[in-house]
Amino acid sequence: MTQIRHFLDLSDAGGDPIATMIGDAVTRKSARVSSPKGQPDSDQPLQGRVLAMVFEKNSTRTRVSFDMAMRQLGGSALILDSASSQLGRGESIADTARVLSRMADAIMLRTDDHAKIEEMARHASVPVINGLTDRSHPCQIVADLLTIVEHGKALPGLEVAWFGDGNNVLHSILEAAGLLKFNVRVATPAGYEPEVEFIEMARAGGAQVTLTQDALAAAKDADVIVTDTWISMGQAHAEEKLAAMAPYQVNEALMAQAKPDAIFLHCLPAHIGDEVNETVFEGAQSVVFDEAENRIHGQKSVLLWSFGLLD
Ligand code: CP
Ligand code: NVA
């Protein structure tokens, strides 16, 4: 039997296929610049295919971008949320995986617990795609890499600087760094560093990873400045954490340290006045809405890879 192409993390695809994904996304995006958003791409490679999306957490971008990606590839998508499906009444992930595999051609899951998506993949007979877990957010990083590349920056040797919480999004950036050979400076307060496993993964792939508590030093001559919410979904709102994060806000003083052509990324939703101030968020170096749009184009590549149509 051909191996099912689950996309639980970026390493499931690997560096070369991710580079191919980015290239394909650039091509498809440019080919449909003047098309209405719901018009399918001319080749409709996923005609007749259905993606089942399961959400255990809120979403705007992931939900809409997967739906639009499927439409543009000629397929369609449907949405379940845990509260209104039998998952919310205790039906197992294993049974849900087997049922959805009989009814849909691929499954996307957003869940609070990475173990659940691993369980889903173990029992599914169709590709399972990670739409965010507590551990990682690989689809976001495909869009981020696409955004970086389309803003004229080559990935090998790139200096990416992260500020704030060592969270799921940072984990996937670190994983990408090892696969695509860029460097990551991580500026977090003590106790909020990313998991060691992801730092080691990046370094094993040849990326340089620097951990520091000095935000200005991390920003020095960086090509890309990135941050995310200080309190991720499912985490308790803690005043102590917010206070520890305050020196890591992305603001003009921090951006002034980076290269003059540095870009600012944020996966959104943003909390203006916390992890980023309004001047930077709305400023000329901010490409956050290109990044949000690129969720569609990046995910089209992820879907094509999962269906074995991109290598
Ligand atoms: N960036 C992102 O995943 O956004 P949503 O939570 O809106 O899907
Ligand atoms: N780190 C954030 C990302 C949201 C897209 C969270 O997990 O809530």
Side-chain angles (χ1 to χ4, degrees), residues 57-58 61-62 110 132-134 137 140 162 165 167-169 228-229 231-235 267-269 295:
K57 288 176 164 180
N58 295 45
R61 280 145 290 268
T62 302
R110 170 168 283 200
L132 179 145
T133 69
D134 55 330
H137 197 3
Q140 179 66 54
W162 173 275
D165 192 23
N167 67 12
N168 46 2
V169 174
D228 185 17
T229 181
I231 311 283
S232 283
M233 290 183 278
Q235 294 178 345
C267 65
L268 308 181
R295 293 296 304 280

Side-chain angles (χ1 to χ4, degrees), residues 83-127:
S84 64
S85 68
Q86 298 291 5
L87 273 172
R89 295 181 59 251
E91 186 168 19
S92 69
I93 293 278
D95 287 357
T96 305
R98 288 182 287 181
V99 170
L100 292 180
S101 296
R102 298 290 186 102
M103 296 184 174
D105 299 294
I107 301 167
M108 188 235 74
L109 175 61
R110 170 168 283 200
T111 177
D112 53 9
D113 179 359
H114 196 80
K116 290 189 191 171
I117 200 166
E118 291 174 338
E119 174 84 353
M120 182 76 91
R122 266 196 299 280
H123 294 278
S125 53
V126 298

Side-chain angles (χ1 to χ4, degrees), residues 38-60:
Q39 182 172 304
D41 292 351
S42 55
D43 57 343
Q44 301 197 41
L46 296 188
Q47 193 172 29
R49 310 271 199 161
V50 176
L51 173 72
M53 298 193 272
V54 183
F55 286 96
E56 290 193 330
K57 288 176 164 180
N58 295 45
S59 169
T60 298

